[in-house]
C-alpha cells in the first residue's frame, strides 16, 4: 500500500516538473478544451436546435405521402437521364 502512494507521489512530482518546465504547453493543454467549448457554445446559440415534425404512420402508406413524392422525383430523374442517353 505504501509503495502505491510512493508511486503516486513520484508521478505527481513528475507532472509538476513538466508543468514548471513547460508553462506554454501547460497553458495550451488547459485552454484547448475551453476554446473548443466556446466554439460549440457560439455555434449552438447561432444555430439553435429546431423541432422536427413527428413521424406520422398515415403518411407512410398514403398516396400523398413523402414516399410517393420521393419515388416520383427519382423516376423523373431516371427518365430525364434516359432521354439524354437516347438522344446521344
Amino acid at each position: 500500500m505504501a509503495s502505491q502512494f510512493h508511486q503516486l507521489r513520484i508521478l505527481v512530482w513528475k507532472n509538476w516538473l513538466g508543468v514548471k518546465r513547460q508553462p506554454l504547453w501547460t497553458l495550451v493543454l488547459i485552454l484547448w478544451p475551453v476554446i473548443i467549448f466556446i466554439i460549440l457554445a457560439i455555434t449552438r446559440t447561432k444555430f439553435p436546435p429546431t423541432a422536427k415534425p413527428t413521424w406520422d404512420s398515415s403518411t407512410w402508406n398514403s398516396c400523398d405521402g413523402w414516399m410517393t413524392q420521393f419515388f416520383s422525383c427519382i423516376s423523373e430523374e431516371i427518365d430525364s437521364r434516359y432521354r439524354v442517353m437516347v438522344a446521344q
Side-chain angles (χ1 to χ4, degrees):
M1 188 75 162
S3 67
Q4 291 176 349
F5 287 121
H6 182 68
Q7 287 178 355
L8 179 63
R9 192 181 68 160
I10 292 172
L11 186 62
V12 169
W13 176 252
K14 179 182 174 185
N15 189 23
W16 171 248
L17 287 177
V19 167
K20 212 165 110 176
R21 290 177 183 163
Q22 297 178 341
L24 182 64
W25 181 245
T26 303
L27 188 65
V28 168
L29 287 178
I30 292 171
L31 289 180
W32 180 247
V34 173
I35 291 170
I36 296 297
F37 178 76
I38 289 171
I39 290 171
L40 287 174
I42 291 171
T43 304
R44 180 73 182 239
T45 57
K46 295 283 184 185
F47 305 102
T50 57
K52 293 184 179 180
T54 57
W55 181 73
D56 185 15
S57 62
S58 64
T59 60
W60 181 267
N61 296 323
S62 70
C63 291
D64 296 330
W66 65 270
M67 281 187 76
T68 306
Q69 294 172 0
F70 176 74
F71 286 117
S72 68
C73 291
I74 288 178
S75 64
E76 289 173 9
E77 184 179 336
I78 290 173
D79 288 343
S80 66
R81 287 185 183 178
Y82 179 71
R83 282 189 220 117
V84 169
M85 288 172 53
V86 171
Q88 293 176 352

